[in-house]
Amino acid sequence: MPQYRIVTVDAFTKVAFKGNQAAIVAVPSDSPIDDDTVQAIAAEMNISETAFITPLMLQGPDEFQQSRVFGLRWFTPTCEVKLCGHATLAAAHALKYELGNEHEEVYFETASGTLLVYSGPYNSYNMSLPVDPPAPMPVTDDVKTIVANILGEYKPSVQVAISPSLRYMVVYDPAKAAEDIAQLEPMLSPELVAAGKRENVIGVIVTAKSSSHDFCSRFFAPWCGINEDPVTGSAYTVLGPFWQERLGKKSLKAYQCSKRGGEIHVQTEFNDDMDVAIDGYAVTVVSGTINFN
């Protein structure tokens, strides 16, 4: 019976049971897992993302310790996704603290290109993700339906934008404070899901200014089997440029005000304006093996 190392990491937090969970499965280069089984493992874990890392360029018993470059894929319980920030940070943490990787920086080859993660002191990490600036979105009836289900009503004063690559929809009501965002109880109805499919929306970000941070947000993705994602690293490739334009700042402190909550630092205009740099912490919660026939 095949056995693979699996680690559950809480990302964007300094303490366990906060931030966002990711399961990291270490897949040796000589023991690949077929796509159906990969998706079945993600469904079995039933958390926002399960990530699979495989050493590239090196093989052998020490490949996880000595490799600097890894293949990385991310799966929700229902599908593979193009980019996942918190599971990328979690993968770097698992490599360093659970798999004994000896490098301070590692590269991940992914569906969104090559991603670089630096490991710092005290379980801290810095990663670069491709920027995805949102553009104003035409306000169709479907867009109004999505906004009304998220905010409780649609108002013409609400600003709506869409990111071209990830297809994340940003919803910003200037009249709402951070406390209002934290207390939202969106209706993730069949009507919302159908409207999002017609608009090719993958996730909805609702955001506001914050007195304790530069901004706050929450993220909803029923189209990917995730009603609410606790802390969404990839969302800040969209929110970074969104809030830079409004606040005139390149260095932004953010809080994702889900029930678990998480702290994120975003630096825009990074790597010749092609990336955003995202800082965060991570902690290991579970470490063991996964078995299947």
Side-chain angles (χ1 to χ4, degrees), residues 56-79:
L56 302 178
M57 301 182 186
L58 289 178
Q59 293 182 326
D62 298 325
E63 59 184 353
F64 282 99
Q65 292 78 30
Q66 296 179 358
S67 291
R68 191 186 295 271
V69 183
F70 295 82
L72 174 62
R73 298 172 71 185
W74 311 278
F75 290 79
T76 76
T78 62
C79 65

PDB file of all heavy atoms in Angstrom, residues 56-79:
ATOM      1  N   LEU A  56      11.841  18.475  -8.575  1.00  0.00           N
ATOM      2  CA  LEU A  56      12.230  18.501  -9.982  1.00  0.00           C
ATOM      3  C   LEU A  56      13.749  18.597 -10.067  1.00  0.00           C
ATOM      4  O   LEU A  56      14.394  19.205  -9.214  1.00  0.00           O
ATOM      5  CB  LEU A  56      11.590  19.693 -10.697  1.00  0.00           C
ATOM      6  CG  LEU A  56      10.048  19.764 -10.659  1.00  0.00           C
ATOM      7  CD1 LEU A  56       9.567  21.031 -11.364  1.00  0.00           C
ATOM      8  CD2 LEU A  56       9.419  18.531 -11.287  1.00  0.00           C
ATOM      9  N   MET A  57      14.324  17.988 -11.067  1.00  0.00           N
ATOM     10  CA  MET A  57      15.766  18.049 -11.382  1.00  0.00           C
ATOM     11  C   MET A  57      16.612  17.136 -10.513  1.00  0.00           C
ATOM     12  O   MET A  57      17.730  16.788 -10.897  1.00  0.00           O
ATOM     13  CB  MET A  57      16.300  19.486 -11.298  1.00  0.00           C
ATOM     14  CG  MET A  57      15.606  20.449 -12.223  1.00  0.00           C
ATOM     15  SD  MET A  57      16.319  22.111 -12.099  1.00  0.00           S
ATOM     16  CE  MET A  57      15.191  23.030 -13.135  1.00  0.00           C
ATOM     17  N   LEU A  58      16.144  16.764  -9.333  1.00  0.00           N
ATOM     18  CA  LEU A  58      16.883  15.830  -8.486  1.00  0.00           C
ATOM     19  C   LEU A  58      16.016  14.628  -8.168  1.00  0.00           C
ATOM     20  O   LEU A  58      14.798  14.735  -8.063  1.00  0.00           O
ATOM     21  CB  LEU A  58      17.325  16.496  -7.182  1.00  0.00           C
ATOM     22  CG  LEU A  58      18.429  17.548  -7.264  1.00  0.00           C
ATOM     23  CD1 LEU A  58      18.677  18.125  -5.876  1.00  0.00           C
ATOM     24  CD2 LEU A  58      19.707  16.958  -7.817  1.00  0.00           C
ATOM     25  N   GLN A  59      16.649  13.460  -8.020  1.00  0.00           N
ATOM     26  CA  GLN A  59      15.958  12.248  -7.624  1.00  0.00           C
ATOM     27  C   GLN A  59      16.766  11.536  -6.550  1.00  0.00           C
ATOM     28  O   GLN A  59      17.961  11.777  -6.385  1.00  0.00           O
ATOM     29  CB  GLN A  59      15.753  11.311  -8.823  1.00  0.00           C
ATOM     30  CG  GLN A  59      14.803  11.852  -9.885  1.00  0.00           C
ATOM     31  CD  GLN A  59      14.613  10.861 -11.021  1.00  0.00           C
ATOM     32  OE1 GLN A  59      15.532  10.127 -11.377  1.00  0.00           O
ATOM     33  NE2 GLN A  59      13.414  10.844 -11.595  1.00  0.00           N
ATOM     34  N   GLY A  60      16.096  10.665  -5.803  1.00  0.00           N
ATOM     35  CA  GLY A  60      16.805   9.890  -4.809  1.00  0.00           C
ATOM     36  C   GLY A  60      16.269  10.106  -3.417  1.00  0.00           C
ATOM     37  O   GLY A  60      15.332  10.887  -3.188  1.00  0.00           O
ATOM     38  N   PRO A  61      16.847   9.442  -2.428  1.00  0.00           N
ATOM     39  CA  PRO A  61      16.316   9.473  -1.056  1.00  0.00           C
ATOM     40  C   PRO A  61      16.381  10.847  -0.400  1.00  0.00           C
ATOM     41  O   PRO A  61      15.646  11.112   0.546  1.00  0.00           O
ATOM     42  CB  PRO A  61      17.197   8.464  -0.318  1.00  0.00           C
ATOM     43  CG  PRO A  61      18.451   8.358  -1.134  1.00  0.00           C
ATOM     44  CD  PRO A  61      18.015   8.536  -2.555  1.00  0.00           C
ATOM     45  N   ASP A  62      17.265  11.727  -0.893  1.00  0.00           N
ATOM     46  CA  ASP A  62      17.406  13.056  -0.290  1.00  0.00           C
ATOM     47  C   ASP A  62      16.814  14.162  -1.159  1.00  0.00           C
ATOM     48  O   ASP A  62      17.138  15.341  -0.983  1.00  0.00           O
ATOM     49  CB  ASP A  62      18.886  13.357  -0.026  1.00  0.00           C
ATOM     50  CG  ASP A  62      19.508  12.388   0.960  1.00  0.00           C
ATOM     51  OD1 ASP A  62      18.798  11.964   1.893  1.00  0.00           O
ATOM     52  OD2 ASP A  62      20.696  12.042   0.786  1.00  0.00           O
ATOM     53  N   GLU A  63      15.943  13.800  -2.099  1.00  0.00           N
ATOM     54  CA  GLU A  63      15.479  14.797  -3.067  1.00  0.00           C
ATOM     55  C   GLU A  63      14.674  15.930  -2.417  1.00  0.00           C
ATOM     56  O   GLU A  63      14.774  17.085  -2.832  1.00  0.00           O
ATOM     57  CB  GLU A  63      14.659  14.130  -4.174  1.00  0.00           C
ATOM     58  CG  GLU A  63      13.440  13.379  -3.696  1.00  0.00           C
ATOM     59  CD  GLU A  63      12.722  12.661  -4.842  1.00  0.00           C
ATOM     60  OE1 GLU A  63      13.091  12.858  -5.998  1.00  0.00           O
ATOM     61  OE2 GLU A  63      11.761  11.904  -4.552  1.00  0.00           O
ATOM     62  N   PHE A  64      13.895  15.633  -1.390  1.00  0.00           N
ATOM     63  CA  PHE A  64      13.131  16.697  -0.736  1.00  0.00           C
ATOM     64  C   PHE A  64      14.038  17.611   0.076  1.00  0.00           C
ATOM     65  O   PHE A  64      13.747  18.796   0.245  1.00  0.00           O
ATOM     66  CB  PHE A  64      12.038  16.108   0.155  1.00  0.00           C
ATOM     67  CG  PHE A  64      10.839  15.625  -0.608  1.00  0.00           C
ATOM     68  CD1 PHE A  64      10.684  14.279  -0.902  1.00  0.00           C
ATOM     69  CD2 PHE A  64       9.878  16.515  -1.062  1.00  0.00           C
ATOM     70  CE1 PHE A  64       9.598  13.823  -1.614  1.00  0.00           C
ATOM     71  CE2 PHE A  64       8.778  16.077  -1.777  1.00  0.00           C
ATOM     72  CZ  PHE A  64       8.635  14.719  -2.050  1.00  0.00           C
ATOM     73  N   GLN A  65      15.146  17.071   0.585  1.00  0.00           N
ATOM     74  CA  GLN A  65      16.078  17.886   1.361  1.00  0.00           C
ATOM     75  C   GLN A  65      16.957  18.760   0.465  1.00  0.00           C
ATOM     76  O   GLN A  65      17.250  19.912   0.803  1.00  0.00           O
ATOM     77  CB  GLN A  65      16.980  16.984   2.215  1.00  0.00           C
ATOM     78  CG  GLN A  65      16.266  16.257   3.339  1.00  0.00           C
ATOM     79  CD  GLN A  65      15.475  15.050   2.847  1.00  0.00           C
ATOM     80  OE1 GLN A  65      15.841  14.423   1.848  1.00  0.00           O
ATOM     81  NE2 GLN A  65      14.391  14.736   3.529  1.00  0.00           N
ATOM     82  N   GLN A  66      17.358  18.249  -0.689  1.00  0.00           N
ATOM     83  CA  GLN A  66      18.364  18.919  -1.498  1.00  0.00           C
ATOM     84  C   GLN A  66      17.797  19.719  -2.672  1.00  0.00           C
ATOM     85  O   GLN A  66      18.458  20.623  -3.169  1.00  0.00           O
ATOM     86  CB  GLN A  66      19.362  17.883  -2.024  1.00  0.00           C
ATOM     87  CG  GLN A  66      20.153  17.195  -0.923  1.00  0.00           C
ATOM     88  CD  GLN A  66      21.123  16.160  -1.454  1.00  0.00           C
ATOM     89  OE1 GLN A  66      21.199  15.913  -2.659  1.00  0.00           O
ATOM     90  NE2 GLN A  66      21.877  15.529  -0.550  1.00  0.00           N
ATOM     91  N   SER A  67      16.597  19.408  -3.115  1.00  0.00           N
ATOM     92  CA  SER A  67      16.037  20.109  -4.271  1.00  0.00           C
ATOM     93  C   SER A  67      15.738  21.563  -3.939  1.00  0.00           C
ATOM     94  O   SER A  67      15.365  21.896  -2.803  1.00  0.00           O
ATOM     95  CB  SER A  67      14.757  19.424  -4.746  1.00  0.00           C
ATOM     96  OG  SER A  67      15.029  18.166  -5.307  1.00  0.00           O
ATOM     97  N   ARG A  68      15.897  22.398  -4.931  1.00  0.00           N
ATOM     98  CA  ARG A  68      15.529  23.802  -4.823  1.00  0.00           C
ATOM     99  C   ARG A  68      14.278  24.110  -5.644  1.00  0.00           C
ATOM    100  O   ARG A  68      13.617  25.135  -5.427  1.00  0.00           O
ATOM    101  CB  ARG A  68      16.689  24.685  -5.303  1.00  0.00           C
ATOM    102  CG  ARG A  68      16.528  26.163  -4.997  1.00  0.00           C
ATOM    103  CD  ARG A  68      17.641  26.971  -5.633  1.00  0.00           C
ATOM    104  NE  ARG A  68      18.936  26.655  -5.071  1.00  0.00           N
ATOM    105  CZ  ARG A  68      19.467  27.264  -4.015  1.00  0.00           C
ATOM    106  NH1 ARG A  68      18.796  28.215  -3.408  1.00  0.00           N
ATOM    107  NH2 ARG A  68      20.655  26.928  -3.569  1.00  0.00           N
ATOM    108  N   VAL A  69      13.938  23.213  -6.581  1.00  0.00           N
ATOM    109  CA  VAL A  69      12.819  23.434  -7.502  1.00  0.00           C
ATOM    110  C   VAL A  69      11.833  22.278  -7.362  1.00  0.00           C
ATOM    111  O   VAL A  69      12.218  21.102  -7.380  1.00  0.00           O
ATOM    112  CB  VAL A  69      13.306  23.528  -8.964  1.00  0.00           C
ATOM    113  CG1 VAL A  69      12.135  23.830  -9.897  1.00  0.00           C
ATOM    114  CG2 VAL A  69      14.394  24.589  -9.109  1.00  0.00           C
ATOM    115  N   PHE A  70      10.546  22.631  -7.245  1.00  0.00           N
ATOM    116  CA  PHE A  70       9.503  21.639  -7.045  1.00  0.00           C
ATOM    117  C   PHE A  70       8.315  21.921  -7.959  1.00  0.00           C
ATOM    118  O   PHE A  70       8.006  23.084  -8.241  1.00  0.00           O
ATOM    119  CB  PHE A  70       9.011  21.658  -5.591  1.00  0.00           C
ATOM    120  CG  PHE A  70      10.043  21.249  -4.592  1.00  0.00           C
ATOM    121  CD1 PHE A  70      10.987  22.159  -4.129  1.00  0.00           C
ATOM    122  CD2 PHE A  70      10.102  19.948  -4.124  1.00  0.00           C
ATOM    123  CE1 PHE A  70      11.958  21.778  -3.213  1.00  0.00           C
ATOM    124  CE2 PHE A  70      11.066  19.557  -3.211  1.00  0.00           C
ATOM    125  CZ  PHE A  70      11.998  20.480  -2.758  1.00  0.00           C
ATOM    126  N   GLY A  71       7.678  20.859  -8.402  1.00  0.00           N
ATOM    127  CA  GLY A  71       6.376  21.008  -9.014  1.00  0.00           C
ATOM    128  C   GLY A  71       5.337  21.180  -7.921  1.00  0.00           C
ATOM    129  O   GLY A  71       5.437  20.584  -6.850  1.00  0.00           O
ATOM    130  N   LEU A  72       4.351  22.022  -8.176  1.00  0.00           N
ATOM    131  CA  LEU A  72       3.320  22.307  -7.176  1.00  0.00           C
ATOM    132  C   LEU A  72       1.967  22.437  -7.859  1.00  0.00           C
ATOM    133  O   LEU A  72       1.809  23.190  -8.824  1.00  0.00           O
ATOM    134  CB  LEU A  72       3.648  23.608  -6.426  1.00  0.00           C
ATOM    135  CG  LEU A  72       2.610  24.148  -5.444  1.00  0.00           C
ATOM    136  CD1 LEU A  72       2.358  23.163  -4.315  1.00  0.00           C
ATOM    137  CD2 LEU A  72       3.044  25.505  -4.890  1.00  0.00           C
ATOM    138  N   ARG A  73       0.982  21.665  -7.348  1.00  0.00           N
ATOM    139  CA  ARG A  73      -0.397  21.748  -7.826  1.00  0.00           C
ATOM    140  C   ARG A  73      -1.317  21.923  -6.616  1.00  0.00           C
ATOM    141  O   ARG A  73      -1.018  21.418  -5.532  1.00  0.00           O
ATOM    142  CB  ARG A  73      -0.787  20.495  -8.617  1.00  0.00           C
ATOM    143  CG  ARG A  73       0.042  20.298  -9.868  1.00  0.00           C
ATOM    144  CD  ARG A  73      -0.262  18.944 -10.504  1.00  0.00           C
ATOM    145  NE  ARG A  73      -1.589  18.911 -11.107  1.00  0.00           N
ATOM    146  CZ  ARG A  73      -2.122  17.806 -11.643  1.00  0.00           C
ATOM    147  NH1 ARG A  73      -1.462  16.656 -11.612  1.00  0.00           N
ATOM    148  NH2 ARG A  73      -3.332  17.844 -12.192  1.00  0.00           N
ATOM    149  N   TRP A  74      -2.455  22.627  -6.849  1.00  0.00           N
ATOM    150  CA  TRP A  74      -3.389  22.919  -5.767  1.00  0.00           C
ATOM    151  C   TRP A  74      -4.779  22.403  -6.131  1.00  0.00           C
ATOM    152  O   TRP A  74      -5.266  22.631  -7.248  1.00  0.00           O
ATOM    153  CB  TRP A  74      -3.497  24.413  -5.527  1.00  0.00           C
ATOM    154  CG  TRP A  74      -2.211  25.166  -5.405  1.00  0.00           C
ATOM    155  CD1 TRP A  74      -1.414  25.286  -4.305  1.00  0.00           C
ATOM    156  CD2 TRP A  74      -1.584  25.972  -6.424  1.00  0.00           C
ATOM    157  NE1 TRP A  74      -0.348  26.104  -4.558  1.00  0.00           N
ATOM    158  CE2 TRP A  74      -0.417  26.534  -5.857  1.00  0.00           C
ATOM    159  CE3 TRP A  74      -1.904  26.277  -7.743  1.00  0.00           C
ATOM    160  CZ2 TRP A  74       0.428  27.383  -6.571  1.00  0.00           C
ATOM    161  CZ3 TRP A  74      -1.054  27.105  -8.463  1.00  0.00           C
ATOM    162  CH2 TRP A  74       0.087  27.647  -7.866  1.00  0.00           C
ATOM    163  N   PHE A  75      -5.443  21.793  -5.167  1.00  0.00           N
ATOM    164  CA  PHE A  75      -6.782  21.260  -5.395  1.00  0.00           C
ATOM    165  C   PHE A  75      -7.703  21.634  -4.238  1.00  0.00           C
ATOM    166  O   PHE A  75      -7.350  21.480  -3.061  1.00  0.00           O
ATOM    167  CB  PHE A  75      -6.745  19.735  -5.508  1.00  0.00           C
ATOM    168  CG  PHE A  75      -6.084  19.234  -6.759  1.00  0.00           C
ATOM    169  CD1 PHE A  75      -4.701  19.203  -6.872  1.00  0.00           C
ATOM    170  CD2 PHE A  75      -6.841  18.793  -7.835  1.00  0.00           C
ATOM    171  CE1 PHE A  75      -4.081  18.757  -8.024  1.00  0.00           C
ATOM    172  CE2 PHE A  75      -6.233  18.339  -9.000  1.00  0.00           C
ATOM    173  CZ  PHE A  75      -4.852  18.313  -9.094  1.00  0.00           C
ATOM    174  N   THR A  76      -8.894  22.126  -4.581  1.00  0.00           N
ATOM    175  CA  THR A  76      -9.970  22.242  -3.602  1.00  0.00           C
ATOM    176  C   THR A  76     -10.630  20.859  -3.502  1.00  0.00           C
ATOM    177  O   THR A  76     -10.245  19.928  -4.221  1.00  0.00           O
ATOM    178  CB  THR A  76     -11.014  23.275  -4.049  1.00  0.00           C
ATOM    179  OG1 THR A  76     -11.835  22.711  -5.077  1.00  0.00           O
ATOM    180  CG2 THR A  76     -10.356  24.553  -4.552  1.00  0.00           C
ATOM    181  N   PRO A  77     -11.641  20.703  -2.656  1.00  0.00           N
ATOM    182  CA  PRO A  77     -12.325  19.405  -2.615  1.00  0.00           C
ATOM    183  C   PRO A  77     -13.000  19.015  -3.921  1.00  0.00           C
ATOM    184  O   PRO A  77     -13.334  17.838  -4.113  1.00  0.00           O
ATOM    185  CB  PRO A  77     -13.358  19.593  -1.500  1.00  0.00           C
ATOM    186  CG  PRO A  77     -12.732  20.600  -0.588  1.00  0.00           C
ATOM    187  CD  PRO A  77     -12.036  21.555  -1.513  1.00  0.00           C
ATOM    188  N   THR A  78     -13.187  19.985  -4.841  1.00  0.00           N
ATOM    189  CA  THR A  78     -13.918  19.670  -6.073  1.00  0.00           C
ATOM    190  C   THR A  78     -13.141  19.898  -7.364  1.00  0.00           C
ATOM    191  O   THR A  78     -13.551  19.397  -8.411  1.00  0.00           O
ATOM    192  CB  THR A  78     -15.217  20.499  -6.148  1.00  0.00           C
ATOM    193  OG1 THR A  78     -14.893  21.895  -6.190  1.00  0.00           O
ATOM    194  CG2 THR A  78     -16.115  20.215  -4.955  1.00  0.00           C
ATOM    195  N   CYS A  79     -12.036  20.652  -7.331  1.00  0.00           N
ATOM    196  CA  CYS A  79     -11.360  20.954  -8.601  1.00  0.00           C
ATOM    197  C   CYS A  79      -9.929  21.441  -8.367  1.00  0.00           C
ATOM    198  O   CYS A  79      -9.550  21.831  -7.264  1.00  0.00           O
ATOM    199  CB  CYS A  79     -12.133  22.014  -9.387  1.00  0.00           C
ATOM    200  SG  CYS A  79     -12.193  23.625  -8.565  1.00  0.00           S
TER     201      CYS A  79
END
